Amino acid sequence: MGQLLALVIVFVVVVGVAKLVRIVPQGFEWTVETFGKYTRTLSPGLHFLIPIYQAVGRKINMMEQVLDVPSQDVITKDNAVVRVDGVVFYQVLDASKAAYEVSNLEQASLALIMTNIRTVLGSMDLDESLSQRDAINAKLLKVVDEATHPWGVKVNRIEIKDIAPPRDLVDAMARQMKAEREKRANILDAEGFRQAAILKAEGEKQSVILAAEGEKEAAFRAAEARERSAEAEAKATTMVSEAISGGNVNALNYFVANNYVEALKEMAKSPNQKMLLLPIEATGILGSLAGIAELAKESLGQQQKAVAIQPPLR
């Protein structure tokens, strides 16, 4: 009997010590209730409570936590049904508010987030909801953070993981994308052909201009050559006329022989002439050549006399 009583006393002491000494782990905060009423919050470390008079109320996790948002069907502004899910990162900043301001913090936060997802996506078109995910996350974060502030909770991030349209809508979007790509490809091909035609026309234009410039230069050169030839012939004719007027018969023979030789040259060049008959005397030609030689000697003698009578330079 005495042993049983001793065991009971030991048990009561152990239980009393367990109720008296409390060790709060790192990352948690515990609330203390005095006869069921909240009095204070225990931070991480060693604490002492009065058994029966004081008790631990709620054990609140103060670390950042992750909450998965289950997928749900949402109707967009243009009546398209999409399936949406997400993830939330939140942290409790006030243990007493998280413990006593809301009954079930996780369930309440989840319901609030799902409701606001439907609200935000319902105000947007399908294209906007698919392309403006960052804007959706920002709107959700602002609304949910303000709503959970009275609960002592800070919502750090809300991320939409997936927005899945119906299969038929996905197929229609794929066909539209394919049509857009083909349209852009056709436009690029047309631009390429147009640019090639422009470059070809520019090349032909430059070629015509260069050919015209070449023809112009050639015509100018030919005209210049004809002009010089005419000047030389006129000069020669003048010289012969002056010699004839001075009574020099050799100059006349030179002029006739020169024209005679030129006429023979042109007749020899004719493709229709296979045989050429020359009813002329060789002595006539030799006489003309002798006249040419005499004319050349006289011209050379006149030049030497002009040099001899030239006064010396001082």
Side-chain angles (χ1 to χ4, degrees), residues 148-226:
T148 57
H149 181 71
W151 301 343
V153 176
K154 172 64 177 177
V155 179
N156 296 324
R157 294 184 66 183
I158 297 180
E159 296 288 342
I160 298 296
K161 291 195 297 184
D162 189 21
I163 300 177
R167 185 62 189 176
D168 55 347
L169 190 57
V170 173
D171 295 338
M173 293 171 63
R175 291 194 298 269
Q176 181 181 2
M177 185 182 301
K178 182 179 179 181
E180 289 291 336
R181 290 178 178 176
E182 291 178 351
K183 177 183 176 182
R184 288 197 295 268
N186 293 332
I187 291 175
L188 291 176
D189 290 340
E191 287 291 336
F193 291 142
R194 175 175 174 270
Q195 191 67 23
I198 292 175
L199 293 176
K200 183 179 179 181
E202 288 290 337
E204 293 177 352
K205 176 182 176 182
Q206 291 296 329
S207 177
V208 172
I209 291 174
L210 292 176
E213 291 289 338
E215 292 177 357
K216 177 181 176 182
E217 185 67 19
F220 176 77
R221 297 293 183 183
E224 186 177 9
R226 287 194 300 271

Side-chain angles (χ1 to χ4, degrees), residues 5-313:
L5 181 59
L7 291 175
V8 171
I9 293 173
V10 171
F11 177 76
V12 171
V13 171
V14 171
V15 172
V17 171
K19 294 290 184 180
L20 175 65
V21 180
R22 293 291 182 174
I23 300 176
V24 180
Q26 184 66 36
F28 285 83
E29 288 186 0
W30 293 358
T31 61
V32 177
E33 298 176 353
T34 302
F35 296 118
K37 182 180 179 181
Y38 168 77
T39 55
R40 62 194 177 95
T41 302
L42 301 179
S43 59
L46 179 63
H47 299 274
F48 296 95
L49 299 179
I50 301 175
I52 301 175
Y53 178 71
Q54 293 178 328
V56 175
R58 305 288 178 84
K59 298 178 181 181
I60 305 300
N61 187 348
M62 304 300 291
M63 296 180 289
E64 187 173 11
Q65 302 177 64
V66 181
L67 181 63
D68 286 326
V69 180
S71 61
Q72 59 175 333
D73 292 332
V74 179
I75 300 176
T76 61
K77 186 178 180 180
D78 52 353
N79 296 324
V81 180
V82 294
R83 195 160 189 83
V84 185
D85 59 358
V87 62
V88 181
F89 298 86
Y90 71 96
Q91 185 176 10
V92 177
L93 301 180
D94 193 331
S96 61
K97 290 182 179 181
Y100 302 107
E101 293 294 336
V102 61
S103 176
N104 190 326
L105 178 61
E106 184 174 331
Q107 183 178 359
S109 300
L110 190 60
L112 181 64
I113 293 167
M114 294 180 68
T115 302
N116 281 277
I117 286 176
R118 289 194 295 269
T119 302
V120 172
L121 289 179
S123 63
M124 303 175 69
D125 295 335
L126 177 61
D127 294 338
E128 294 178 348
S129 63
L130 294 175
S131 61
Q132 300 182 7
R133 190 167 297 188
D134 292 338
I136 296 172
N137 295 335
K139 290 181 181 179
L140 289 174
L141 179 61
K142 181 179 179 181
V143 174
V144 175
D145 188 39
E146 291 177 356
T148 57
H149 181 71
W151 301 343
V153 176
K154 172 64 177 177
V155 179
N156 296 324
R157 294 184 66 183
I158 297 180
E159 296 288 342
I160 298 296
K161 291 195 297 184
D162 189 21
I163 300 177
R167 185 62 189 176
D168 55 347
L169 190 57
V170 173
D171 295 338
M173 293 171 63
R175 291 194 298 269
Q176 181 181 2
M177 185 182 301
K178 182 179 179 181
E180 289 291 336
R181 290 178 178 176
E182 291 178 351
K183 177 183 176 182
R184 288 197 295 268
N186 293 332
I187 291 175
L188 291 176
D189 290 340
E191 287 291 336
F193 291 142
R194 175 175 174 270
Q195 191 67 23
I198 292 175
L199 293 176
K200 183 179 179 181
E202 288 290 337
E204 293 177 352
K205 176 182 176 182
Q206 291 296 329
S207 177
V208 172
I209 291 174
L210 292 176
E213 291 289 338
E215 292 177 357
K216 177 181 176 182
E217 185 67 19
F220 176 77
R221 297 293 183 183
E224 186 177 9
R226 287 194 300 271
E227 181 180 358
R228 292 182 179 179
S229 177
E231 290 178 355
E233 186 176 356
K235 186 175 181 180
T237 304
T238 302
M239 293 175 63
V240 172
S241 299
E242 292 177 353
I244 294 173
S245 62
N248 192 342
V249 181
N250 292 328
L252 180 61
N253 293 333
Y254 163 76
F255 185 75
V256 173
N258 185 41
N259 290 336
Y260 189 76
V261 172
E262 290 294 331
L264 291 178
K265 185 188 298 183
E266 293 297 328
M267 292 175 64
K269 289 182 180 179
S270 176
N272 297 326
Q273 298 297 330
K274 303 302 181 180
M275 182 179 293
L276 182 62
L277 299 178
L278 301 176
I280 59 175
E281 296 179 356
T283 57
I285 299 176
L286 293 176
S288 299
L289 293 177
I292 295 172
E294 292 295 332
L295 182 62
K297 290 180 180 179
E298 292 180 1
S299 176
L300 182 59
Q302 292 177 359
Q303 290 180 358
Q304 291 177 353
K305 289 179 181 180
V307 172
I309 63 177
Q310 185 176 1
L313 295 178

